[in-house]
Amino acid sequence: MPGAAPFDAAITGIGMVTAAGIGTHRTWEAIVAAEGTAAAPVPALDGTPSAIGCWIPGYDPVEAIGRRRAWRFDRSSQFAITAAAEAVGDSGLDPSAWDGTRVAVVLGSGIGGAASWEKQHRVLLDDGPTRVSPLLIPMLAVNMSAGYVAMEHGARGPNLVTATACASGTTAVGTARELLRQGVCDVVITGGTEACLIPSIVSGFGQMGALTGRQDDPRAASRPFDADRDGFVPAEGAAVLVLERAADASARGARVYAHVSGYGASADAHHATAPEPGGAGAELALRAALKDAAMAPGAVDHVNAHGTSTPLNDAAESQLIRRVLGERPAVTSVKGVLGHALGAAGAIEAAATALTLHRRLVPPTANLDSQDPRIELDVVAGKARAVTVEAAVSNSFGFGGQNAVLVLTRA
């Protein structure tokens, strides 16, 4: 909202489901340890050229959601429901007592229920149209993750899914904050989810040349800002945040991880898949987020980078950070551990940034053995850095030239 007074949305709950661990604590511990990429051969990708990914073999939807309901949801919705349950519980709010008409859900997803679509397409080809599941449409539709989360928690306010490619989760959090600022609701369950480690999607990325060639060394495959990076590792997962107005959270004595204090978005208007080389579009989003937060660039202590481990993204993003924020911020990319969870990545990284502020600890970038000399930034590597971060930026960029940036501040 150009010209509006600065507005802080409090993060009072966090839930995460990632390849590094089911639950926020396990994921955070793995990010901080940075012992390598949480990647492994994915059974569903057997026989394809790109067969590794950051998948979650230990996730049991029956245990997480219950046998009677789990089979009705695509894996992406299962992740969202699980992460949302953790986040709402963590917030201390009681859905049985809240006014559901004042609770919104805004989730991001780049692809939606693609795994269900691919599975049912095989059924169609093998067994005919009468054997296709009647649940196919609610399983594949990109909006259903938010719909199902709303049903779980009686959230009857605005219900949205943002689809801005790999910026989707960040766009969702920014949109959630706007709903609070506009007075549309009092609580927003927000974040992102993705589950598309399937042959069609991964093969598509592979054919584009976007994926790593280190198929025989999964733990070292994702290496943001490293001189030997060669592509990203696809991942699945979800993160959900509970947002409230800072004043409301304070009034009820809630524990607050961090504030979402600024949001900016823009388009490159340049290319379907490649970032604009000069980073002009991304710079618009970053400067808009800083302006929204009424913050000078020099006040930023930390950047949670998009940091995909691709040659083009990391180079363009590093130039953007140096040009706008200088060399001072401590930079990290959690994709070295978690891989690239596409539409969920921005939400996962917003959660990690909030934890960085709350715990006064900047995680290292995994697999950063030899920093690309062209990347002239203070990229944290080797071990976590204990430091009080007052203000941080979380960047997300996606195909179609989608750019979204959040500014988080210490509560």
Side-chain angles (χ1 to χ4, degrees):
M1 293 179 67
F7 175 83
D8 286 339
I11 301 172
T12 58
I14 299 176
M16 302 177 79
V17 177
T18 73
I22 299 168
T24 299
H25 176 74
R26 290 179 61 187
T27 294
W28 174 251
E29 291 298 309
I31 290 171
V32 170
E35 294 175 348
T37 312
V42 181
L45 301 177
D46 282 350
T48 65
S50 298
I52 66 168
C54 290
W55 68 301
I56 312 173
Y59 179 77
D60 183 350
V62 172
E63 179 181 344
I65 300 172
R67 185 177 304 277
R68 290 188 176 184
R69 296 184 303 148
W71 65 274
R72 295 188 281 122
F73 306 137
D74 180 80
R75 190 168 171 87
S76 61
S77 292
Q78 292 171 350
F79 289 161
I81 291 167
T82 302
E86 182 187 10
V88 171
D90 187 44
S91 74
L93 292 167
D94 180 2
S96 69
W98 66 24
D99 177 0
T101 65
R102 301 291 299 171
V103 180
V105 179
V106 185
L107 298 181
S109 184
I111 298 176
S116 295
W117 195 344
E118 184 172 275
K119 178 180 179 180
Q120 292 303 313
H121 185 251
R122 287 197 296 268
V123 171
L124 173 68
L125 296 180
D126 294 343
D127 303 322
T130 61
R131 305 302 298 173
V132 171
S133 171
L135 293 175
L136 171 59
I137 301 305
M139 287 176 122
L140 73 86
V142 71
N143 69 293
M144 291 306 295
S145 58
Y148 285 131
V149 167
M151 294 175 205
E152 292 289 308
H153 299 285
R156 298 171 59 205
N159 190 273
L160 310 171
V161 166
T162 59
T164 52
C166 298
S168 297
T170 299
T171 304
V173 176
T175 302
R177 173 174 169 270
E178 288 302 317
L179 292 177
L180 289 171
R181 175 152 61 179
Q182 294 167 15
V184 175
C185 53
D186 301 320
V187 176
V188 191
I189 302 168
T190 186
T193 188
E194 204 82 272
C196 52
L197 294 181
I198 54 176
S200 59
I201 300 300
V202 175
S203 295
F205 281 119
Q207 289 295 98
M208 293 170 55
L211 301 182
T212 178
R214 288 184 174 83
Q215 297 297 303
D216 59 347
D217 191 9
R219 296 286 293 175
S222 182
R223 40 198 324 109
F225 303 117
D226 192 83
D228 293 328
R229 68 190 185 278
D230 70 338
F232 75 79
V233 175
E236 62 180 6
V240 172
L241 313 176
V242 173
L243 297 190
E244 306 172 58
R245 292 181 193 84
D248 293 346
S250 178
R252 71 178 183 89
R255 183 264 336 278
V256 177
Y257 288 103
H259 292 147
V260 182
S261 299
Y263 169 63
S266 68
D268 284 353
H270 168 71
H271 190 274
T273 58
E276 197 277 315
E283 183 172 341
L284 288 173
L286 175 53
R287 291 195 183 278
L290 292 170
K291 182 178 180 180
D292 189 26
M295 182 175 295
V300 175
D301 304 307
H302 167 56
V303 177
N304 191 305
H306 188 54
T308 59
S309 184
T310 59
L312 289 179
N313 173 86
D314 291 7
E317 185 176 14
S318 66
Q319 292 168 18
L320 166 69
I321 293 169
R322 182 178 171 85
R323 183 168 65 249
V324 179
L325 304 177
E327 297 180 55
R328 191 178 76 85
V331 178
T332 195
S333 170
V334 300
K335 290 185 177 74
V337 173
L338 302 180
H340 190 355
L342 308 176
I348 291 169
E349 289 153 20
T353 306
L355 291 168
T356 293
L357 289 157
H358 184 64
R359 303 197 179 188
R360 307 185 188 198
L361 195 65
V362 178
T365 301
N367 296 321
L368 182 54
D369 299 327
S370 178
Q371 186 168 321
D372 186 334
R374 296 168 297 178
I375 294 173
E376 299 175 301
L377 298 173
D378 178 17
V379 183
V380 180
K383 64 178 182 179
R385 184 181 299 176
V387 59
T388 298
V389 175
E390 297 293 341
V393 162
S394 184
N395 292 332
S396 294
F397 313 121
F399 286 173
Q402 304 276 5
N403 307 302
V405 177
L406 295 170
V407 174
L408 277 70
T409 56
R410 184 170 167 78

